[in-house]
Amino acid sequence: NWGLAGEWTDDTAMSYPILHTATVEPLWGLIAFDKIAAGWLDWAKKPKGSGGQTRAVLLNEDVQSYAHEGHFGLAEELAKAATLAHERMGKSGGNGSLMRTGAVAVGTLHLDDGSVARIAEIIGLMTHPDPDAVEACIIWTFVVRRALQEETLRIGDGLQYLTADRRVLWEERIMQAET
């Protein structure tokens, strides 16, 4: 069971399967993503709370049925459920996926930046497919990554992994936040 005695939020609990998986294998590949998804579903059996989007994804009947068949393809099933929840509610830009990016940064320190950006995207898409949420995951993963690697806080390093039009949007948002 992934529930932790020291758990204080769903974000900390959902970070654990990311970190645990990173200790036994690289966070790159379908097996790793499926293990993370399985950990989240195990935790969701007795959550102390979660956001609406996360709950809609993890408690989706198709995901629950699929989970009983094994772990292969489970991450993809979560992403499908997340997209359906996004379409049904018209949004999925909550902060749930963003709150787990610290674990992504820690678990991928040995990987190249391009791989890290893709991993942050995939893990974000598993619960929150809104483009703003996914892009925020990429950006913040790099903020944490650089803080750990170089002891610097640089918010713009992840921008290079966004499309040109979205990069401009985020540059504007960052500039507005800084002023």
Side-chain angles (χ1 to χ4, degrees):
N1 187 346
W2 293 95
L4 305 172
E7 173 186 340
W8 66 79
T9 71
D10 57 322
D11 306 316
T12 57
M14 291 182 73
S15 292
Y16 184 77
I18 297 169
L19 292 170
H20 177 74
T21 300
T23 65
V24 294
E25 64 186 85
L27 280 184
W28 183 247
L30 298 177
I31 293 171
F33 300 134
D34 287 344
K35 284 184 178 183
I36 292 166
W40 289 351
L41 288 170
D42 188 43
W43 166 80
K45 293 174 186 172
K46 295 181 183 177
K48 291 186 178 178
S50 67
Q53 174 70 16
T54 301
R55 190 171 35 259
V57 173
L58 297 181
L59 299 180
N60 176 288
E61 289 179 16
D62 292 335
V63 168
Q64 292 293 319
S65 296
Y66 195 88
H68 292 295
E69 298 172 18
H71 299 318
F72 184 74
L74 193 52
E76 187 177 344
E77 287 301 311
L78 280 184
K80 287 179 190 175
T83 298
L84 289 173
H86 173 83
E87 291 170 353
R88 188 175 59 255
M89 293 186 277
K91 60 181 178 170
S92 64
N95 70 351
S97 57
L98 181 64
M99 301 303 287
R100 300 186 290 269
T101 57
V104 174
V106 170
T108 59
L109 285 172
H110 61 288
L111 297 175
D112 66 278
D113 284 355
S115 296
V116 172
R118 185 68 179 129
I119 291 166
E121 177 183 19
I122 290 168
I123 292 176
L125 285 168
M126 287 166 60
T127 56
H128 293 74
D130 184 277
D132 282 343
V134 173
E135 292 162 354
C137 288
I138 294 168
I139 293 166
W140 196 249
T141 295
F142 279 93
V143 171
V144 175
R145 183 174 169 80
R146 295 300 182 251
L148 293 170
Q149 291 174 323
E150 304 166 10
E151 297 182 11
T152 61
L153 291 176
R154 294 194 315 254
I155 198 163
D157 284 9
L159 293 176
Q160 66 182 312
Y161 298 100
L162 309 182
T163 61
D165 60 323
R166 297 297 291 182
R167 189 177 316 123
V168 169
L169 173 67
W170 280 97
E171 287 169 345
E172 291 171 0
R173 289 173 172 171
I174 292 166
M175 188 172 19
Q176 183 180 18
E178 288 176 342
T179 57

